[in-house]
Amino acid sequence: AAVAVFTGKANCPYYAKAEFLADCLQANLPNFRVHKITQHPDSWEQWLHDICETNGWEHRQSPIIWRELLDRGGKGQLLGGLDDFLEYAQRYYGITSMMLSEEMLDIAEENLQAYLEIVKEDEEIKNLIKPVQIWITSASAPICYQLIPLLANGEVFGMTTEISIHLLDSGQFKKVLCSIVMEAEDMAFPLLHSISEHTEIDEAFIEADIIIVLDDILLNLEVQSLENYIREVSEICQVYAPLIEKNAKSEVRIISSGKTFANLKAMMIMTYGPSIKPENIIAIATSWESAAKGVLARKLNISPAGVKDVIVWGNITGSNYIDLSHAKLYGYDCAIWGPANFQRPLLNMIYDREWIHSAFLSAQSSLSSRVCRCAAVLPAHAVATVLRYWCHGSPPGEIVSVGVLSEGQFCVPEGIIFSMPVRFQNGNWEVITELEIDETTQKVLGRLAHELIQ
């Protein structure tokens, strides 16, 4: 079985005559099938060039007609233009068209109007679908590669919410971005409405609902001073913030992640983008939480999923404090058992207090190197987890550590981005101010705040 493919400019009278004859043949011949592809006059030349280049054909005008074997696939057999089709119909079926020029022009005009109406309907349908617009900066970073499947599988935003991902990086990474786009398209996620690469900074953050800032700086204090690195971060944010104000949606949510200067990036975007809502800018500390839970779980020989409420205070990618005073264990094999929600204070279950004060706390430097050296899976999971909590709420009663703008909670000075315990609910977050902290922790927070301000 074969199908005849007819394509041409919507307003072309010769295309009108060819498709009219094709309709007659299809109505009278049981084995004659027609497929029409109407093109807008403005896009016809490029479309014709592309289809001819793909198939190795030579053809210059509208319409172009070819036959395809339905059960074999492969390249179509070119018939040609209107005259070629008239000759084909006369020779094989003894049928021709006596349509007058005036009729051809009338049908061509009807074709154009019908085509424009179909295009308009398609646009209206597309406008009803409003995917979440996600922009990822420094998108050539490995974390982005791991993050895309987590965002597109439906678990973060919901199984009915479509997303569009925009990958932003400098021109030198264009090939990397293009390869990521192709691979993501090949995975055919049902909820991935579109994915695109961008290397022009002026078009950054257009209509953004969510911005994930992954920009990192490789620190080598033997080469450059810390002040110079801080200046670099500041300059990046000085470019991003006005563009976010100009191009992004007013309720845009911004996540600062990466291995360096997570707090600083959030602070600088806030500083250089004064119209951006401060509560919509956060820094991710979940990688540290997860790494600490992993160390504790190995010590206690349990699943890391059973360790909850480990708090990361301070400068996430700098001087921070892993606080275990509120940590809990679920599903721990001990003398007392209870239902699934039964929990025990973690510190009560670690009898080797020397290990806590020496091995674990000194291990914070090794935690730092672990987080900075880790493959992209952990930070990507951290970003996706916090985004899911931000959209749908964190588990009831569970503590999440996030870098947020301090309003004086826990005696931390106002106006700095400081990691502290929060809960997410109803699309917002709030600091868990009812949490009690001891005098030792309070002193540590004072020192961390002082260092962060410096």
Side-chain angles (χ1 to χ4, degrees):
V3 62
V5 182
F6 290 75
T7 183
K9 287 191 289 186
N11 62 347
C12 172
Y14 303 109
Y15 175 54
K17 186 169 184 175
E19 69 162 345
F20 184 79
L21 177 56
D23 289 342
C24 291
L25 290 173
Q26 182 168 247
N28 293 287
L29 300 170
N31 293 323
F32 189 89
R33 295 182 58 187
V34 175
H35 176 60
K36 302 174 189 175
I37 306 173
T38 307
Q39 294 293 326
H40 192 281
D42 294 342
S43 58
W44 165 254
E45 294 295 337
Q46 185 61 50
W47 191 90
L48 179 63
H49 172 271
D50 293 343
I51 197 74
C52 288
E53 191 173 87
T54 301
N55 291 281
W57 294 336
E58 285 288 336
H59 194 79
R60 293 286 176 267
Q61 69 279 339
S62 170
I64 180 172
I65 303 159
W66 68 88
R67 290 175 72 246
E68 286 182 356
L69 296 175
L70 294 181
D71 55 351
R72 294 191 189 175
K75 190 170 74 170
Q77 178 188 355
L78 180 66
L79 295 180
L82 173 63
D83 291 342
D84 300 299
F85 178 59
L86 291 174
E87 185 182 332
Y88 172 83
Q90 179 69 49
R91 184 189 308 162
Y92 283 92
Y93 305 111
I95 298 175
T96 190
S97 173
M98 305 303 293
M99 185 185 289
L100 301 174
S101 297
E102 191 174 330
E103 292 177 293
M104 290 164 59
L105 290 169
D106 288 344
I107 293 176
E109 180 60 30
E110 288 176 15
N111 279 348
L112 180 59
Q113 292 307 315
Y115 174 80
L116 293 176
E117 285 178 20
I118 290 169
V119 169
K120 185 181 177 183
E121 284 177 14
D122 287 345
E123 284 299 317
E124 288 173 354
I125 291 169
K126 284 180 183 176
N127 288 336
L128 292 174
I129 302 170
K130 295 193 180 296
V132 176
Q133 303 292 330
I134 304 167
W135 283 78
I136 305 174
T137 71
S138 197
S140 63
I143 176 177
C144 177
Y145 191 79
Q146 301 288 342
L147 184 58
I148 289 170
L150 299 178
L151 297 176
N153 67 11
E155 291 184 12
V156 172
F157 301 103
M159 301 306 293
T160 58
T161 303
E162 293 193 9
I163 65 170
S164 288
I165 297 176
H166 305 267
L167 308 178
L168 177 68
D169 214 321
S170 57
Q172 62 180 315
F173 296 109
K174 186 175 179 67
K175 283 188 177 179
V176 176
L177 298 186
C178 289
S179 66
I180 295 174
V181 167
M182 287 181 64
E183 197 162 343
E185 288 173 341
D186 290 347
M187 294 174 81
F189 292 104
L191 296 174
L192 183 57
H193 184 266
S194 65
I195 181 167
S196 55
E197 48 84 18
H198 304 266
T199 54
E200 297 295 330
I201 192 66
D202 291 342
E203 65 185 34
F205 313 126
I206 291 175
E207 291 297 299
D209 292 295
I210 291 165
I211 298 170
I212 302 167
V213 180
L214 300 181
D215 297 70
D216 257 327
I217 288 174
L218 294 174
L219 290 176
N220 187 344
L221 297 178
E222 294 177 4
V223 176
Q224 260 194 96
S225 68
L226 187 61
E227 288 77 10
N228 284 340
Y229 286 121
I230 289 173
R231 193 174 295 112
E232 278 186 48
V233 175
S234 180
E235 287 169 357
I236 292 168
C237 297
Q238 207 165 351
V239 172
Y240 286 166
L243 286 168
I244 293 171
E245 289 184 302
K246 177 186 173 186
N247 295 337
K249 292 177 183 171
S250 59
E251 292 294 325
V252 62
R253 295 173 175 178
I254 302 164
I255 284 182
S256 172
S257 184
K259 299 173 182 176
T260 56
F261 300 115
N263 295 52
L264 182 65
K265 285 181 288 189
M267 188 75 243
M268 290 295 96
I269 290 172
M270 215 174 277
T271 302
Y272 294 121
S275 70
I276 304 169
K277 294 183 177 179
E279 64 270 23
N280 283 1
I281 305 175
I282 65 174
I284 298 289
T286 317
S287 295
W288 288 83
E289 277 186 24
S290 299
K293 289 174 182 177
V295 171
L296 293 164
R298 282 185 282 276
K299 171 68 176 174
L300 293 163
N301 196 27
I302 65 167
S303 165
V307 184
K308 306 288 186 185
D309 299 346
V310 173
I311 302 173
V312 180
W313 297 95
N315 186 0
I316 296 162
T317 49
S319 294
N320 61 41
Y321 171 57
I322 310 293
D323 181 4
L324 306 182
S325 59
H326 299 275
K328 302 177 186 67
L329 297 180
Y330 291 82
Y332 182 57
D333 186 7
C334 64
I336 302 174
W337 276 83
N341 62 351
F342 178 70
Q343 44 86 6
R344 306 299 306 275
L346 181 142
L347 291 179
N348 289 358
M349 298 297 102
I350 298 181
Y351 301 104
D352 185 359
R353 289 306 176 97
E354 187 59 35
W355 179 84
I356 295 174
H357 293 295
S358 58
F360 180 74
L361 292 179
S362 66
Q364 286 192 225
S365 59
S366 65
L367 271 184
S368 174
S369 61
R370 183 192 299 256
V371 171
C372 290
R373 283 199 325 270
C374 67
V377 177
L378 178 59
H381 178 264
V383 171
T385 299
V386 170
L387 261 178
R388 184 173 78 250
Y389 290 169
W390 209 347
C391 292
H392 303 293
S394 50
E398 196 167 312
I399 294 171
V400 184
S401 301
V402 175
V404 297
L405 185 67
S406 169
E407 295 179 350
Q409 302 98 329
F410 305 109
C411 299
V412 174
E414 292 183 31
I416 61 172
I417 298 288
F418 198 86
S419 181
M420 54 181 77
V422 307
R423 66 170 69 89
F424 289 91
Q425 55 187 14
N426 302 322
N428 301 305
W429 56 263
E430 63 177 359
V431 177
I432 306 176
T433 51
E434 65 270 23
L435 211 64
E436 292 184 6
I437 58 173
D438 58 30
E439 191 177 334
T440 304
T441 302
Q442 191 64 69
K443 285 180 180 176
V444 172
L445 299 192
R447 176 176 58 78
L448 293 177
H450 176 74
E451 286 183 17
L452 192 52
I453 291 168
Q454 295 305 307

